[in-house]
Coordinates of all heavy atoms in Angstrom, one line a residue:
M1 N -18.1 -25.5 16.7 CA -18.4 -25.5 15.3 C -17.2 -26.0 14.6 O -16.1 -25.6 14.8 CB -18.8 -24.1 14.8 CG -18.9 -24.1 13.3 SD -18.9 -22.4 12.6 CE -20.5 -21.9 13.0
K2 N -17.3 -27.0 13.7 CA -16.2 -27.5 12.9 C -16.4 -27.0 11.5 O -17.5 -26.9 10.9 CB -16.3 -29.0 12.8 CG -15.7 -29.6 14.1 CD -15.5 -31.1 13.8 CE -14.9 -31.8 15.0 NZ -14.7 -33.2 14.8
H3 N -15.3 -26.7 10.9 CA -15.3 -26.3 9.4 C -14.6 -27.5 8.7 O -13.7 -28.1 9.3 CB -14.5 -25.0 9.2 CG -15.2 -23.8 9.6 ND1 -16.5 -23.6 9.5 CD2 -14.7 -22.7 10.3 CE1 -16.8 -22.4 10.0 NE2 -15.8 -21.9 10.5
F4 N -15.0 -27.7 7.5 CA -14.4 -28.8 6.7 C -13.5 -28.1 5.6 O -14.0 -27.3 4.9 CB -15.4 -29.7 6.1 CG -14.8 -30.9 5.4 CD1 -14.2 -31.9 6.1 CD2 -14.8 -30.9 4.0 CE1 -13.7 -33.0 5.5 CE2 -14.2 -32.0 3.4 CZ -13.6 -33.0 4.1
L5 N -12.3 -28.5 5.6 CA -11.3 -27.9 4.6 C -10.9 -29.0 3.7 O -10.3 -30.0 4.2 CB -10.2 -27.3 5.4 CG -9.1 -26.6 4.6 CD1 -9.7 -25.4 3.9 CD2 -8.0 -26.1 5.5
T6 N -11.1 -28.8 2.4 CA -10.7 -29.8 1.5 C -9.6 -29.2 0.6 O -9.8 -28.2 0.1 CB -11.8 -30.3 0.6 OG1 -12.9 -30.5 1.4 CG2 -11.4 -31.5 -0.2
A7 N -8.5 -29.9 0.5 CA -7.4 -29.5 -0.3 C -6.3 -30.4 -0.1 O -6.2 -31.1 0.9 CB -6.9 -28.1 0.1
P8 N -5.4 -30.6 -1.0 CA -4.2 -31.4 -0.8 C -3.4 -30.6 0.2 O -2.4 -30.1 -0.1 CB -3.5 -31.5 -2.1 CG -4.4 -30.8 -3.1 CD -5.5 -30.1 -2.4
L9 N -3.9 -30.5 1.4 CA -3.5 -29.7 2.4 C -2.4 -30.4 3.2 O -2.7 -31.0 4.2 CB -4.7 -29.4 3.3 CG -4.6 -28.7 4.5 CD1 -5.6 -28.9 5.5 CD2 -3.9 -27.5 4.5
L10 N -1.2 -30.4 2.8 CA -0.3 -31.2 3.6 C 1.1 -30.8 3.7 O 1.9 -31.1 2.9 CB -0.4 -32.6 3.0 CG -1.8 -33.0 3.3 CD1 -2.5 -33.2 2.1 CD2 -1.8 -34.1 4.2
G11 N 1.4 -30.1 4.7 CA 2.8 -29.8 4.9 C 2.8 -29.2 6.3 O 2.2 -28.2 6.4
L12 N 3.4 -29.8 7.2 CA 3.4 -29.2 8.5 C 4.8 -29.2 9.1 O 5.7 -29.9 8.6 CB 2.6 -30.1 9.4 CG 1.3 -30.7 8.8 CD1 0.6 -31.5 9.7 CD2 0.4 -29.7 8.2
S13 N 4.9 -28.5 10.2 CA 6.2 -28.4 10.8 C 6.1 -29.2 12.1 O 5.0 -29.3 12.7 CB 6.4 -26.9 11.1 OG 7.5 -26.6 11.9
L14 N 7.2 -29.8 12.6 CA 7.0 -30.7 13.7 C 7.7 -30.6 15.0 O 8.7 -30.0 15.0 CB 7.2 -32.1 13.2 CG 8.7 -32.4 12.9 CD1 9.0 -33.8 13.3 CD2 8.9 -32.3 11.4
T15 N 7.0 -31.1 16.0 CA 7.7 -31.3 17.3 C 7.5 -32.8 17.6 O 7.9 -33.2 18.6 CB 7.0 -30.5 18.4 OG1 5.6 -30.8 18.3 CG2 7.2 -29.0 18.2
G16 N 6.8 -33.5 16.7 CA 6.6 -34.9 16.9 C 6.5 -35.5 15.5 O 6.6 -34.9 14.5
C17 N 6.3 -36.8 15.5 CA 6.2 -37.6 14.3 C 5.1 -38.7 14.4 O 5.1 -39.4 15.4 CB 7.5 -38.1 13.9 SG 7.5 -38.9 12.3
A18 N 4.3 -38.8 13.4 CA 3.3 -39.9 13.4 C 3.4 -40.6 12.1 O 3.8 -40.0 11.1 CB 1.9 -39.3 13.5
T19 N 3.1 -41.9 12.1 CA 3.3 -42.7 10.9 C 2.0 -43.4 10.6 O 1.4 -44.0 11.4 CB 4.4 -43.7 11.0 OG1 5.6 -43.0 11.2 CG2 4.5 -44.5 9.7
I20 N 1.5 -43.2 9.3 CA 0.3 -44.0 8.9 C 0.8 -44.7 7.6 O 1.1 -44.0 6.6 CB -0.8 -43.1 8.5 CG1 -1.3 -42.3 9.7 CG2 -2.0 -43.9 7.9 CD1 -2.4 -42.9 10.5
G21 N 1.1 -46.0 7.7 CA 1.6 -46.7 6.6 C 3.1 -46.3 6.4 O 3.8 -46.0 7.4
G22 N 3.6 -46.2 5.2 CA 5.0 -45.8 5.0 C 4.9 -44.5 4.2 O 4.1 -43.6 4.6
G23 N 5.6 -44.4 3.2 CA 5.3 -43.2 2.3 C 6.1 -42.0 2.6 O 7.2 -42.0 3.2
K24 N 5.6 -40.9 2.1 CA 6.3 -39.6 2.2 C 6.0 -38.8 3.5 O 4.9 -39.0 4.1 CB 5.8 -38.7 1.0 CG 6.2 -39.4 -0.3 CD 5.8 -38.5 -1.5 CE 6.2 -39.1 -2.8 NZ 5.8 -38.3 -3.9
T25 N 6.9 -38.0 3.8 CA 6.8 -37.2 5.1 C 6.2 -35.9 4.8 O 6.6 -35.2 3.8 CB 8.2 -37.0 5.7 OG1 8.7 -38.3 6.0 CG2 8.0 -36.2 7.0
L26 N 5.1 -35.5 5.5 CA 4.5 -34.3 5.4 C 4.7 -33.5 6.7 O 4.5 -34.0 7.8 CB 3.0 -34.5 5.2 CG 2.1 -33.3 5.3 CD1 2.4 -32.4 4.1 CD2 0.6 -33.7 5.3
K27 N 5.1 -32.2 6.5 CA 5.3 -31.4 7.6 C 4.1 -30.5 7.8 O 3.6 -29.9 6.9 CB 6.5 -30.5 7.4 CG 7.0 -29.6 8.5 CD 8.2 -28.9 8.1 CE 8.7 -28.0 9.3 NZ 9.9 -27.3 9.0
I28 N 3.5 -30.5 9.1 CA 2.3 -29.8 9.3 C 2.6 -28.7 10.3 O 3.1 -28.9 11.4 CB 1.2 -30.7 9.9 CG1 0.9 -31.8 8.9 CG2 0.0 -29.9 10.2 CD1 0.1 -32.9 9.5
N29 N 2.2 -27.5 10.0 CA 2.3 -26.3 10.8 C 0.9 -25.7 11.0 O 0.1 -25.8 10.1 CB 3.2 -25.2 10.2 CG 4.6 -25.6 10.2 OD1 5.2 -25.9 11.2 ND2 5.2 -25.8 9.0
T30 N 0.7 -25.0 12.1 CA -0.6 -24.3 12.2 C -0.2 -22.9 12.7 O 0.9 -22.7 13.3 CB -1.5 -24.9 13.3 OG1 -0.9 -25.1 14.5 CG2 -2.1 -26.2 12.8
A31 N -1.0 -21.9 12.4 CA -0.8 -20.6 12.9 C -2.0 -20.2 13.8 O -3.1 -20.1 13.2 CB -0.7 -19.6 11.7
P32 N -1.9 -20.2 15.1 CA -0.7 -20.4 15.9 C -0.4 -21.9 16.1 O -1.2 -22.7 15.9 CB -1.1 -19.8 17.2 CG -2.5 -20.0 17.3 CD -3.1 -19.9 15.9
P33 N 0.9 -22.2 16.5 CA 1.3 -23.5 16.7 C 0.7 -24.1 18.0 O 0.0 -23.4 18.7 CB 2.8 -23.4 16.9 CG 3.1 -22.0 17.3 CD 2.0 -21.2 16.7
G34 N 0.8 -25.4 18.2 CA 0.3 -26.0 19.4 C -1.0 -26.7 19.2 O -1.6 -27.1 20.2
A35 N -1.5 -26.9 18.0 CA -2.7 -27.6 17.8 C -2.5 -29.1 17.7 O -1.5 -29.6 17.4 CB -3.3 -27.1 16.4
L36 N -3.6 -29.8 18.1 CA -3.5 -31.3 18.1 C -4.1 -31.7 16.7 O -5.2 -31.4 16.3 CB -4.4 -31.9 19.2 CG -4.4 -33.4 19.3 CD1 -3.0 -33.9 19.6 CD2 -5.4 -33.8 20.3
V37 N -3.2 -32.5 16.0 CA -3.6 -33.1 14.8 C -4.0 -34.6 15.1 O -3.1 -35.3 15.6 CB -2.5 -33.1 13.7 CG1 -2.9 -33.7 12.4 CG2 -2.1 -31.6 13.4
T38 N -5.2 -35.0 14.8 CA -5.6 -36.4 15.0 C -6.0 -37.0 13.7 O -6.9 -36.6 13.1 CB -6.8 -36.4 16.0 OG1 -6.5 -35.7 17.2 CG2 -7.2 -37.9 16.3
L39 N -5.2 -38.0 13.3 CA -5.5 -38.7 12.0 C -6.5 -39.8 12.2 O -6.6 -40.4 13.3 CB -4.2 -39.3 11.5 CG -3.1 -38.3 11.2 CD1 -1.7 -39.0 11.2 CD2 -3.4 -37.6 9.9
E40 N -7.2 -40.1 11.1 CA -8.1 -41.2 11.2 C -7.3 -42.4 11.6 O -6.2 -42.6 11.2 CB -8.8 -41.4 9.8 CG -7.9 -41.8 8.7 CD -8.5 -41.8 7.4 OE1 -9.8 -41.7 7.3 OE2 -7.8 -42.0 6.4
G41 N -7.8 -43.2 12.4 CA -7.0 -44.4 12.9 C -6.4 -44.1 14.3 O -5.8 -45.0 14.9
G42 N -6.4 -42.8 14.7 CA -6.0 -42.5 16.1 C -4.6 -41.9 16.3 O -4.3 -41.5 17.3
A43 N -3.7 -41.9 15.2 CA -2.4 -41.3 15.4 C -2.6 -39.8 15.7 O -3.4 -39.2 15.1 CB -1.5 -41.5 14.2
E44 N -1.7 -39.2 16.5 CA -1.8 -37.8 16.9 C -0.4 -37.2 16.9 O 0.6 -37.9 17.1 CB -2.4 -37.7 18.3 CG -3.8 -38.1 18.5 CD -4.3 -37.9 19.9 OE1 -3.5 -37.9 20.8 OE2 -5.5 -37.8 20.0
C45 N -0.4 -35.9 16.7 CA 0.8 -35.1 16.9 C 0.4 -33.7 17.2 O -0.7 -33.3 16.9 CB 1.8 -35.2 15.7 SG 1.2 -34.5 14.2
E46 N 1.3 -32.9 17.8 CA 1.1 -31.5 18.2 C 1.9 -30.7 17.2 O 3.1 -30.9 17.1 CB 1.4 -31.2 19.6 CG 1.1 -29.8 20.0 CD 1.4 -29.6 21.5 OE1 1.0 -30.5 22.3 OE2 1.9 -28.5 21.8
T47 N 1.3 -29.7 16.6 CA 2.0 -28.9 15.7 C 3.0 -27.9 16.4 O 2.8 -27.5 17.5 CB 1.1 -28.0 14.8 OG1 0.4 -27.1 15.6 CG2 0.1 -28.9 14.0
P48 N 4.1 -27.7 15.7 CA 4.5 -28.3 14.4 C 4.9 -29.7 14.5 O 5.5 -30.2 15.5 CB 5.7 -27.4 13.9 CG 6.3 -26.9 15.2 CD 5.2 -26.8 16.2
C49 N 4.6 -30.5 13.5 CA 4.9 -32.0 13.5 C 5.0 -32.5 12.1 O 4.7 -31.9 11.1 CB 3.8 -32.8 14.3 SG 2.2 -32.7 13.6
M50 N 5.6 -33.7 12.0 CA 5.8 -34.4 10.8 C 5.0 -35.7 10.8 O 4.9 -36.4 11.8 CB 7.2 -34.7 10.5 CG 8.2 -33.6 10.6 SD 8.4 -32.7 9.1 CE 9.5 -33.7 8.2
I51 N 4.4 -36.1 9.7 CA 3.7 -37.4 9.6 C 4.1 -38.0 8.3 O 4.5 -37.4 7.3 CB 2.2 -37.2 9.6 CG1 1.7 -36.3 8.5 CG2 1.7 -36.7 11.0 CD1 0.2 -36.3 8.4
K52 N 4.1 -39.3 8.3 CA 4.4 -40.1 7.1 C 3.1 -40.7 6.6 O 2.4 -41.3 7.3 CB 5.4 -41.3 7.4 CG 6.8 -40.8 7.6 CD 7.7 -42.0 7.6 CE 9.1 -41.4 7.6 NZ 10.1 -42.4 7.2
L53 N 2.8 -40.4 5.3 CA 1.6 -40.9 4.7 C 1.8 -41.7 3.4 O 2.7 -41.3 2.7 CB 0.7 -39.7 4.3 CG 0.2 -38.7 5.4 CD1 -0.5 -37.5 4.8 CD2 -0.7 -39.5 6.3
D54 N 1.1 -42.7 3.2 CA 1.2 -43.5 2.0 C 0.1 -43.2 1.1 O 0.1 -43.5 -0.1 CB 1.3 -45.0 2.3 CG 0.1 -45.5 3.1 OD1 -0.8 -44.7 3.5 OD2 0.0 -46.7 3.3
K55 N -1.0 -42.6 1.6 CA -2.1 -42.2 0.8 C -2.9 -41.0 1.5 O -2.5 -40.8 2.7 CB -3.1 -43.4 0.6 CG -3.7 -43.9 1.9 CD -4.6 -45.1 1.6 CE -5.1 -45.6 2.9 NZ -6.0 -46.7 2.8
P56 N -3.8 -40.4 0.9 CA -4.5 -39.3 1.6 C -5.3 -39.8 2.8 O -5.8 -40.9 2.8 CB -5.5 -38.8 0.5 CG -4.9 -39.1 -0.8 CD -4.2 -40.4 -0.5
H57 N -5.3 -39.0 3.9 CA -6.0 -39.4 5.1 C -6.7 -38.2 5.7 O -6.2 -37.0 5.6 CB -4.9 -39.8 6.2 CG -4.4 -41.2 6.0 ND1 -5.0 -42.3 6.4 CD2 -3.3 -41.6 5.3 CE1 -4.3 -43.4 6.0 NE2 -3.3 -42.9 5.4
R58 N -7.8 -38.4 6.3 CA -8.6 -37.4 7.0 C -8.0 -37.1 8.3 O -7.5 -38.1 9.0 CB -10.1 -37.7 7.1 CG -10.7 -37.9 5.8 CD -12.3 -37.7 5.9 NE -12.9 -37.8 4.6 CZ -13.0 -36.7 3.8 NH1 -12.4 -35.6 4.1 NH2 -13.6 -36.8 2.6
A59 N -8.1 -35.9 8.8 CA -7.6 -35.5 10.1 C -8.4 -34.4 10.7 O -9.0 -33.6 9.9 CB -6.1 -35.1 10.0
T60 N -8.4 -34.3 12.0 CA -9.0 -33.1 12.7 C -7.9 -32.3 13.3 O -6.9 -32.9 13.9 CB -10.0 -33.6 13.7 OG1 -11.0 -34.4 13.1 CG2 -10.6 -32.4 14.5
I61 N -7.9 -31.0 13.1 CA -6.9 -30.1 13.8 C -7.7 -29.3 14.8 O -8.7 -28.6 14.4 CB -6.2 -29.2 12.7 CG1 -5.5 -30.1 11.7 CG2 -5.3 -28.3 13.4 CD1 -4.9 -29.4 10.5
A62 N -7.3 -29.3 16.0 CA -8.0 -28.6 17.1 C -7.1 -28.0 18.1 O -6.0 -28.5 18.4 CB -8.9 -29.6 17.8
K63 N -7.5 -26.8 18.5 CA -6.7 -26.1 19.6 C -7.8 -25.3 20.4 O -8.7 -24.7 19.8 CB -5.7 -25.1 18.9 CG -4.9 -24.3 19.9 CD -3.8 -23.5 19.2 CE -3.1 -22.6 20.2 NZ -2.1 -23.3 21.0
A64 N -7.6 -25.3 21.7 CA -8.6 -24.6 22.6 C -8.7 -23.1 22.2 O -7.7 -22.5 21.9 CB -8.1 -24.7 24.0
G65 N -9.9 -22.6 22.1 CA -10.2 -21.3 21.7 C -10.2 -21.0 20.2 O -10.5 -19.9 19.8
F66 N -10.0 -22.1 19.4 CA -10.1 -21.9 17.9 C -11.1 -22.9 17.3 O -11.4 -23.9 17.9 CB -8.7 -22.2 17.4 CG -7.7 -21.1 17.7 CD1 -7.0 -21.2 18.9 CD2 -7.4 -20.1 16.9 CE1 -6.1 -20.2 19.3 CE2 -6.5 -19.1 17.2 CZ -5.8 -19.2 18.5
V67 N -11.5 -22.6 16.1 CA -12.5 -23.5 15.4 C -11.7 -24.7 15.0 O -10.7 -24.6 14.4 CB -13.1 -22.7 14.2 CG1 -14.0 -23.6 13.4 CG2 -13.8 -21.5 14.7
S68 N -12.3 -25.9 15.3 CA -11.7 -27.2 14.8 C -11.9 -27.3 13.3 O -12.9 -26.9 12.8 CB -12.3 -28.3 15.5 OG -12.1 -28.3 16.9
L69 N -10.9 -27.9 12.7 CA -11.0 -28.1 11.2 C -10.9 -29.6 10.9 O -10.1 -30.3 11.5 CB -9.9 -27.4 10.5 CG -9.8 -25.9 10.6 CD1 -8.5 -25.4 10.0 CD2 -11.0 -25.3 9.8
D70 N -11.7 -30.1 10.0 CA -11.5 -31.4 9.4 C -10.8 -31.2 8.1 O -11.3 -30.4 7.2 CB -12.9 -32.1 9.2 CG -13.5 -32.5 10.5 OD1 -12.8 -32.9 11.4 OD2 -14.8 -32.3 10.6
V71 N -9.7 -31.9 7.9 CA -8.9 -31.7 6.7 C -8.6 -33.0 6.0 O -8.7 -34.1 6.6 CB -7.6 -30.9 7.0 CG1 -7.9 -29.5 7.5 CG2 -6.7 -31.7 7.9
L72 N -8.2 -32.9 4.7 CA -7.7 -34.1 4.0 C -6.2 -33.9 3.8 O -5.9 -32.9 3.1 CB -8.5 -34.3 2.7 CG -8.1 -35.5 1.8 CD1 -8.4 -36.8 2.6 CD2 -8.8 -35.4 0.5
L73 N -5.4 -34.7 4.3 CA -4.0 -34.6 4.2 C -3.5 -35.5 3.0 O -3.9 -36.7 3.0 CB -3.3 -35.0 5.5 CG -3.6 -34.2 6.7 CD1 -2.9 -34.7 7.9 CD2 -3.3 -32.7 6.5
S74 N -2.6 -35.0 2.2 CA -2.2 -35.7 1.0 C -0.7 -35.9 1.0 O 0.0 -34.9 1.3 CB -2.6 -35.0 -0.2 OG -2.0 -35.5 -1.4
P75 N -0.2 -37.1 0.7 CA 1.2 -37.3 0.6 C 1.9 -36.6 -0.6 O 3.1 -36.6 -0.7 CB 1.4 -38.8 0.5 CG 0.1 -39.3 -0.1 CD -0.9 -38.3 0.4
S76 N 1.1 -35.9 -1.4 CA 1.7 -35.3 -2.6 C 2.3 -33.9 -2.2 O 3.0 -33.3 -3.0 CB 0.6 -35.0 -3.6 OG -0.3 -34.1 -3.2
R77 N 2.1 -33.5 -1.0 CA 2.7 -32.2 -0.5 C 3.9 -32.5 0.4 O 3.8 -33.5 1.1 CB 1.7 -31.3 0.2 CG 0.4 -31.0 -0.6 CD 0.6 -29.8 -1.5 NE 1.1 -28.6 -0.7 CZ 0.3 -27.6 -0.2 NH1 -1.0 -27.7 -0.4 NH2 0.9 -26.6 0.4
R78 N 4.8 -31.6 0.5 CA 5.9 -31.7 1.5 C 5.6 -31.1 2.8 O 6.0 -31.5 3.9 CB 7.2 -31.1 0.9 CG 7.8 -31.9 -0.2 CD 9.1 -31.4 -0.6 NE 9.6 -32.2 -1.7 CZ 10.8 -32.0 -2.2 NH1 11.6 -31.1 -1.6 NH2 11.2 -32.7 -3.2
S79 N 4.9 -29.9 2.7 CA 4.5 -29.3 4.0 C 3.2 -28.5 3.8 O 2.8 -28.2 2.6 CB 5.6 -28.3 4.4 OG 5.8 -27.2 3.6
V80 N 2.6 -28.1 4.9 CA 1.4 -27.3 4.8 C 1.3 -26.5 6.1 O 1.7 -26.9 7.2 CB 0.1 -28.2 4.7 CG1 -0.1 -29.1 5.9 CG2 -1.1 -27.4 4.4
T81 N 0.8 -25.3 5.9 CA 0.5 -24.4 7.1 C -1.0 -24.2 7.1 O -1.5 -23.7 6.1 CB 1.3 -23.1 7.0 OG1 2.7 -23.4 7.0 CG2 1.0 -22.2 8.2
V82 N -1.6 -24.5 8.2 CA -3.1 -24.3 8.4 C -3.3 -23.1 9.3 O -3.0 -23.2 10.5 CB -3.7 -25.6 9.0 CG1 -5.2 -25.4 9.1 CG2 -3.4 -26.8 8.1
P83 N -4.0 -22.1 8.8 CA -4.3 -21.0 9.7 C -5.6 -21.3 10.5 O -6.5 -21.9 10.0 CB -4.6 -19.8 8.7 CG -5.0 -20.5 7.4 CD -4.3 -21.8 7.4
L84 N -5.5 -21.1 11.8 CA -6.6 -21.4 12.7 C -7.4 -20.1 12.9 O -6.9 -19.0 13.1 CB -6.1 -22.0 14.0 CG -5.3 -23.3 13.9 CD1 -4.9 -23.8 15.2 CD2 -6.2 -24.4 13.2
E85 N -8.7 -20.3 13.0 CA -9.6 -19.1 13.2 C -10.1 -19.1 14.6 O -10.5 -20.1 15.2 CB -10.9 -19.3 12.3 CG -11.9 -18.3 12.4 CD -13.1 -18.6 11.5 OE1 -13.0 -19.3 10.5 OE2 -14.2 -18.1 11.9
L86 N -10.0 -17.9 15.3 CA -10.5 -17.8 16.7 C -12.0 -18.2 16.7 O -12.7 -17.8 15.8 CB -10.3 -16.4 17.2 CG -8.9 -16.1 17.7 CD1 -8.8 -14.6 18.0 CD2 -8.6 -16.9 18.9
A87 N -12.3 -18.9 17.8 CA -13.8 -19.2 18.0 C -14.4 -18.0 18.5 O -13.9 -17.3 19.3 CB -13.9 -20.4 18.9
A88 N -15.6 -17.6 18.0 CA -16.3 -16.5 18.4 C -16.9 -16.7 19.8 O -17.4 -17.8 20.1 CB -17.4 -16.1 17.4
A89 N -16.9 -15.7 20.6 CA -17.5 -15.7 21.9 C -19.0 -15.8 21.7 O -19.6 -15.2 20.7 CB -17.2 -14.5 22.7
S90 N -19.7 -16.5 22.5 CA -21.1 -16.7 22.4 C -21.8 -15.4 22.7 O -21.5 -14.7 23.7 CB -21.6 -17.8 23.3 OG -23.0 -17.9 23.2
T91 N -22.8 -15.0 22.0 CA -23.6 -13.8 22.3 C -25.0 -14.2 22.8 O -25.8 -13.4 23.2 CB -23.9 -13.0 21.0 OG1 -24.5 -13.8 20.0 CG2 -22.6 -12.4 20.5
D92 N -25.2 -15.5 23.0 CA -26.5 -16.0 23.5 C -26.4 -15.8 25.1 O -25.5 -16.3 25.7 CB -26.7 -17.5 23.2 CG -26.8 -17.7 21.7 OD1 -27.3 -16.8 21.0 OD2 -26.5 -18.8 21.2
V93 N -27.4 -15.2 25.6 CA -27.5 -15.0 27.0 C -28.9 -15.5 27.4 O -29.9 -15.1 26.9 CB -27.4 -13.5 27.4 CG1 -27.6 -13.4 28.9 CG2 -26.0 -13.0 27.0
D94 N -28.9 -16.4 28.4 CA -30.2 -16.9 28.9 C -30.6 -16.0 30.1 O -30.1 -16.1 31.2 CB -29.9 -18.4 29.4 CG -31.2 -19.0 29.9 OD1 -32.3 -18.3 29.9 OD2 -31.2 -20.2 30.2
A95 N -31.6 -15.2 29.8 CA -32.1 -14.2 30.7 C -32.7 -14.9 32.0 O -32.7 -14.3 33.1 CB -33.1 -13.3 30.1
E96 N -33.2 -16.1 31.8 CA -33.7 -16.8 33.0 C -32.7 -17.2 34.0 O -32.9 -17.4 35.1 CB -34.5 -18.1 32.5 CG -35.6 -17.8 31.6 CD -36.7 -17.0 32.2 OE1 -37.1 -17.3 33.4 OE2 -37.3 -16.1 31.6
A97 N -31.4 -17.4 33.5 CA -30.3 -17.9 34.4 C -29.6 -16.7 35.1 O -28.8 -17.0 35.9 CB -29.3 -18.7 33.5
L98 N -29.9 -15.5 34.7 CA -29.2 -14.4 35.3 C -29.8 -14.0 36.6 O -31.1 -14.0 36.8 CB -29.3 -13.1 34.4 CG -28.6 -13.3 33.0 CD1 -28.8 -12.1 32.2 CD2 -27.1 -13.5 33.2
P99 N -29.0 -13.7 37.6 CA -29.6 -13.3 38.9 C -30.1 -11.8 38.9 O -29.7 -11.1 38.0 CB -28.3 -13.3 39.9 CG -27.2 -13.1 38.9 CD -27.6 -13.7 37.6
E100 N -31.1 -11.5 39.7 CA -31.6 -10.2 39.7 C -30.6 -9.3 40.4 O -29.9 -9.7 41.3 CB -32.9 -10.2 40.5 CG -34.1 -10.8 39.8 CD -35.4 -10.5 40.4 OE1 -35.6 -9.4 41.0 OE2 -36.2 -11.4 40.4
I101 N -30.5 -8.1 39.9 CA -29.6 -7.1 40.4 C -30.4 -6.0 41.1 O -31.3 -5.4 40.4 CB -28.7 -6.5 39.3 CG1 -27.9 -7.6 38.7 CG2 -27.8 -5.4 39.9 CD1 -27.0 -7.2 37.5
D102 N -30.1 -5.7 42.3 CA -30.9 -4.6 43.0 C -30.3 -3.3 42.9 O -29.2 -3.0 42.8 CB -31.0 -4.9 44.5 CG -31.8 -6.2 44.8 OD1 -32.8 -6.4 44.0 OD2 -31.5 -7.0 45.7

């Protein structure tokens, strides 16, 4: 399940750097760290990371075991911290697929 987060959400902490155009540097952090930030156009970095933006860009932030987020990153911010939500375990059980227990 993806959630869409809209906000001038832009400030991250970095272990890498991506550039889209020129412009201002945005530091991106996630809680917890280690999420993959994929910008439209294909640039990627792993949080914490820094990106240079010349205009707002859409990005997906994903980490195994957490809900993926679609965000709008804006060069008007210097840094942003994005809290990640744990993905809920599935409660759906297919009774047909369960083995019989004697």
Side-chain angles (χ1 to χ4, degrees):
M1 171 195 285
K2 282 190 178 183
H3 286 320
F4 185 72
L5 181 64
T6 312
L9 176 202
L10 294 117
L12 322 179
S13 177
L14 66 140
T15 54
C17 186
T19 301
I20 299 271
K24 298 182 180 180
T25 300
L26 172 65
K27 185 176 183 180
I28 301 171
N29 291 297
T30 56
L36 181 65
V37 178
T38 305
L39 298 160
E40 63 186 355
E44 296 180 333
C45 65
E46 184 176 319
T47 64
C49 62
M50 305 272 284
I51 58 172
K52 286 191 173 199
L53 298 173
D54 57 353
K55 63 182 181 180
H57 285 274
R58 294 200 176 282
T60 299
I61 299 176
K63 181 174 174 78
F66 293 84
V67 177
S68 295
L69 297 172
D70 290 320
V71 299
L72 181 62
L73 300 177
S74 169
S76 66
R77 303 272 311 262
R78 288 187 183 186
S79 70
V80 66
T81 298
V82 179
L84 300 177
E85 177 185 337
L86 279 171
S90 174
T91 57
D92 297 332
V93 176
D94 183 355
E96 299 296 318
L98 296 175
E100 287 191 33
I101 299 176
D102 294 324

